[in-house]
Amino acid sequence: MPEKVKKKLEEEIKLLEHELTTELPAEIKKAVALGDLSENAEYHMAKQRQVFVNARLGQLKKRMGELAMVNLTNIPHDRVGFGATIVVFDSSKNEEIKYKLVTSEESDVSQGLISTTSPIGRALLGKRVGEVTIVDTPNGKRELEVLKLTTIHDTAEEQ
């Protein structure tokens, strides 16, 4: 798992756990002291936030487990996969575009970092240099031809 993704998830988990164990119980205690809970907005908001924080913590811990199971040996050496940098020709825009396939937590389209779960990322997975794929995007269909590929293994060898 990329270290910065792991660190980002761990930081969010730490913040949410602090909120769940320290801040929210204090808010609930204050709201209870105000009396009648049936019409106590502060109490209901704190309880709703508690439910949300619990759910988000569950999601983050599950995601940490999923990312920890990523096995680099299963990523292809000759095809587009996680960590690959790809130069494609977009015939609908008549231009070359460079993408890097990353986790959803790292994605930043403006930087060319696209998630493996995005429409473009999914369409490119498994493609080789010279192959063409059609991508359904919110702005319509796009035809992308893979011009250049640098896999995560190539990048590791360069370092």
Side-chain angles (χ1 to χ4, degrees):
M1 164 181 3
E3 283 305 308
K4 59 184 179 178
V5 173
K6 182 179 177 184
K7 187 175 180 183
K8 181 181 173 186
L9 289 175
E10 286 173 342
E11 287 173 4
E12 188 174 351
I13 287 171
K14 186 177 175 183
L15 286 172
L16 290 174
E17 284 176 339
H18 174 74
E19 182 179 356
L20 191 63
T21 59
T22 308
E23 295 169 19
L24 285 172
E27 285 181 36
I28 291 171
K29 188 176 180 180
K30 272 193 256 178
V32 167
L34 296 175
D36 186 14
L37 297 182
S38 65
E39 294 182 17
N40 188 325
E42 289 85 3
Y43 176 78
H44 292 289
M45 292 298 290
K47 290 302 269 184
Q48 285 178 346
R49 178 68 186 165
Q50 191 176 41
V51 169
F52 170 80
V53 169
N54 265 323
R56 182 68 181 143
L57 271 171
Q59 288 175 331
L60 292 173
K61 288 179 179 181
K62 181 180 178 207
R63 185 67 178 144
M64 284 282 286
E66 292 168 353
L67 291 173
M69 292 175 38
V70 171
N71 186 347
L72 293 181
T73 58
N74 293 339
I75 297 173
H77 289 261
D78 61 340
R79 288 175 284 140
V80 175
F82 170 74
T85 301
I86 312 106
V87 177
V88 298
F89 179 75
D90 185 339
S91 60
S92 62
K93 294 183 177 183
N94 201 28
E95 68 178 336
E96 286 185 12
I97 305 170
K98 183 177 181 178
Y99 293 120
K100 181 171 182 177
L101 289 183
V102 296
T103 63
S104 55
E105 291 82 9
E106 296 173 285
S107 67
D108 182 352
V109 177
S110 66
Q111 301 290 315
L113 303 173
I114 60 170
S115 168
T116 54
T117 59
S118 69
I120 293 173
R122 285 193 316 265
L124 290 172
L125 282 174
K127 299 295 183 247
R128 291 186 164 96
V129 173
E131 289 189 320
V132 176
T133 186
I134 306 291
V135 184
D136 282 322
T137 67
N139 296 330
K141 291 189 185 293
R142 292 172 60 186
E143 184 178 271
L144 304 176
E145 178 184 359
V146 179
L147 301 176
K148 185 178 177 191
L149 168 65
T150 307
T151 68
I152 195 169
H153 304 291
D154 300 331
T155 307
E157 290 171 8
E158 291 171 6
Q159 294 176 353

